[in-house]
């Protein structure tokens, strides 16, 4: 069983900064605190409308973070050109709609196979590890394999938004997808909508390599501070993975 890593998304530090047009709070400073608190990587979504993280942010982060940058981005020529110049450690290709508040679902790799395959090829050629943000669907997983991307990130939004009655069904769907993707040779991450009260069942899945979490951590940080918010999340993840390991041995 692999160790479970935490990628901390710091987009909403920039959201707070941009709300008043100030130069604080500083996402770069926040990234440093996150790493010291145990974050295994820093995730940022450079949106086409630059609503939170900006180009100067990602350029400075790339130079200063000590772990690794995971750059989420749309599959557009502009973004791919930017990434090839910036060379983050990871790129996660995501769907993007300027009217959405947050990402609403996974990429339709099946219908965009040629475009996404070309993007994966360009990014991989400059040494970037590519992940595709997809729903827990076997057809999408099989299409992801065809693109040559080494990673997928399973969209956990439906699980996070489900009623208590439906949550077990969503968890089972994610569990089966993670197993299927692993069997196809993909490395599996997960994220979207995860928070302190729903993360453990996902963190317990042995096929998951990394969870990317942002809004919940930044929201708690407003009350407890960023260091404590990250340490609390890491502890929950460790507890879940430890219990999962113990159960598998019993």
């Amino acid at each position: 069983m692999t160790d479970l890593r935490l990628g901390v998304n710091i987009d909403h530090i920039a959201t707070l900064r941009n709300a008043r047009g100030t130069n604080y709070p500083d996402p770069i400073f926040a990234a440093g605190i996150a790493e010291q608190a145990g974050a295994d990587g820093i995730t940022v979504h450079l949106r086409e409308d630059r609503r939170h993280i900006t180009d100067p942010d990602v350029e400075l982060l790339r130079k200063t973070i000590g772990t690794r940058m995971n750059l989420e981005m749309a599959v557009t020529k502009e973004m791919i050109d930017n990434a090839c110049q910036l060379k983050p450690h990871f790129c996660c290709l995501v769907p993007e709609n300027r009217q959405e508040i947050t990402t609403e679902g996974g990429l339709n790799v099946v219908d965009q196979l040629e475009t996404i395959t070309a993007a994966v090829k360009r990014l991989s050629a400059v040494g970037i590890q590519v992940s595709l943000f997809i729903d827990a669907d076997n057809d999408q997983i099989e299409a992801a394999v065809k693109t040559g991307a080494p990673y997928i990130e399973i969209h956990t939004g439906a699980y996070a938004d489900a009623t208590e009655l439906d949550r077990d069904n969503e968890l089972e769907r994610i569990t089966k997808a993670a197993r299927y993707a692993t069997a196809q040779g993909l490395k599996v991450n997960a994220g979207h909508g995860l928070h302190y009260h729903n993360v453990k069942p996902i963190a317990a899945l042995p096929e998951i390599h990394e969870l990317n979490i942002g809004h919940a951590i930044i929201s708690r940080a407003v009350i407890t501070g960023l260091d404590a918010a990250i340490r609390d999340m890491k502890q929950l993840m460790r507890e879940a993975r430890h219990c999962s390991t113990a159960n598998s041995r019993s």
Side-chain angles (χ1 to χ4, degrees), residues 95-118:
E96 191 170 310
N97 176 353
R98 293 196 184 189
Q99 281 70 50
E100 68 189 2
I101 295 175
T102 185
T103 306
E104 295 173 345
L107 277 172
N108 190 338
V109 186
V110 172
D111 288 353
Q112 303 175 71
L113 185 59
E114 185 176 341
T115 299
I116 294 172
T117 300

Side-chain angles (χ1 to χ4, degrees), residues 6-207:
L6 173 63
V8 175
N9 186 312
I10 59 169
D11 289 349
H12 293 301
I13 298 293
T15 299
L16 286 172
R17 174 195 63 191
N18 298 349
R20 291 292 294 268
T22 61
N23 59 3
Y24 64 87
D26 183 5
I28 287 75
F29 183 62
I33 294 173
E35 289 182 317
Q36 291 173 19
D40 300 291
I42 302 299
T43 295
V44 290
H45 184 173
L46 184 64
R47 283 183 171 268
E48 292 181 88
D49 61 9
R50 310 305 198 266
R51 71 176 66 167
H52 34 61
I53 291 293
T54 64
D55 295 88
D57 291 332
V58 295
E59 290 167 9
L60 192 50
L61 282 167
R62 182 65 183 91
K63 295 175 182 177
T64 56
I65 63 174
T67 52
R68 49 196 170 75
M69 174 188 282
N70 176 33
L71 179 63
E72 297 180 342
M73 64 182 202
V75 189
T76 66
K77 184 180 184 304
E78 178 203 8
M79 290 300 169
I80 294 167
D81 287 346
N82 283 350
C84 287
Q85 183 173 0
L86 185 69
K87 294 185 177 65
H89 305 87
F90 290 85
C91 274
C92 185
L93 302 180
V94 302
E96 191 170 310
N97 176 353
R98 293 196 184 189
Q99 281 70 50
E100 68 189 2
I101 295 175
T102 185
T103 306
E104 295 173 345
L107 277 172
N108 190 338
V109 186
V110 172
D111 288 353
Q112 303 175 71
L113 185 59
E114 185 176 341
T115 299
I116 294 172
T117 300
V120 171
K121 185 176 181 179
R122 275 201 67 196
L123 295 167
S124 299
V126 296
I128 300 170
Q129 296 284 306
V130 184
S131 176
L132 306 182
F133 186 72
I134 62 174
D135 292 324
D137 179 271
N138 284 2
D139 289 342
Q140 298 297 337
I141 290 169
E142 290 168 4
V145 172
K146 293 176 183 177
T147 69
Y151 285 85
I152 61 167
E153 180 170 335
I154 295 178
H155 177 237
T156 54
Y159 161 81
D161 294 338
T163 63
E164 187 174 351
L165 188 63
D166 294 332
R167 189 162 294 157
D168 287 345
N169 292 333
E170 290 297 332
L171 178 61
E172 180 65 16
R173 194 163 68 93
I174 292 169
T175 301
K176 290 180 178 178
R179 290 173 180 167
Y180 185 70
T182 299
Q184 303 307 306
L186 292 168
K187 295 179 182 178
V188 183
N189 300 333
H192 199 80
L194 297 177
H195 54 68
Y196 295 86
H197 302 292
N198 68 13
V199 71
K200 277 191 165 184
I202 301 296
L205 299 179
E207 294 81 11

